[in-house]
Amino acid sequence: MHRLLKRGASACCVATLLAAPAVLAGFTTESAHCYKNADGSGRCQGSLLGFRNHAGANTQAYFSRSSNGAPFFYAALTTGATTTYFSCNPDAVTGAHWSKAMNHEGYFSIYWSAQGDCYSLFLINGSQYSNF
């Protein structure tokens, strides 16, 4: 009887391990992506670490405030010999989260309109972005 219980417990442990979700401890995500539509609208996404470590010599991204306190987003993405520039100024709703964006260490995704207004900002934290 004890042998049967031991086998059952072992089988249960193995089944639990196989069904457990993958753990991301030690995994880091570095990405840098931007695109601009023909009308000037577009999106940038990734992590600030990803932009810093990108192979393009002029690649960078940051959330900041100008000398008069106006918030803005700026990015440059170099692919081959071409550097494309991206920027926007947040609308009131998006601007309310600008302090968080300036101190963010995780994944971000920002969208802007053809008029250059940042209208959507996603900030996502996770252990895979901890090496800011």
Side-chain angles (χ1 to χ4, degrees):
M1 182 70 165
H2 289 312
R3 189 178 317 164
L4 183 59
L5 286 175
K6 285 182 181 180
R7 285 184 183 171
S10 296
C12 181
C13 289
V14 169
T16 301
L17 288 173
L18 292 175
V23 177
L24 296 176
F27 174 72
T28 60
T29 299
E30 297 179 21
S31 60
H33 302 284
C34 292
Y35 72 84
K36 191 182 296 187
N37 298 314
D39 67 355
S41 63
R43 175 175 103 167
C44 282
Q45 64 185 35
S47 64
L48 296 177
L49 178 64
F51 276 86
R52 269 197 305 279
N53 290 339
H54 189 270
N58 297 316
T59 297
Q60 59 181 307
Y62 55 87
F63 297 88
S64 191
R65 292 188 184 274
S66 64
S67 59
N68 67 358
F72 68 94
F73 170 77
Y74 174 83
L77 188 64
T78 303
T79 305
T82 304
T83 301
T84 307
Y85 301 93
F86 310 88
S87 65
C88 64
N89 300 303
D91 60 16
V93 174
T94 305
H97 303 286
W98 215 251
S99 293
K100 290 179 186 176
M102 290 175 59
N103 294 308
H104 188 62
E105 296 182 5
Y107 175 87
F108 71 89
S109 180
I110 188 164
Y111 294 80
W112 59 87
S113 68
Q115 294 75 31
D117 298 321
C118 313
Y119 65 85
S120 181
L121 173 64
F122 297 97
L123 302 172
I124 302 171
N125 281 320
S127 62
Q128 69 267 36
Y129 302 105
S130 63
N131 293 320
F132 174 73

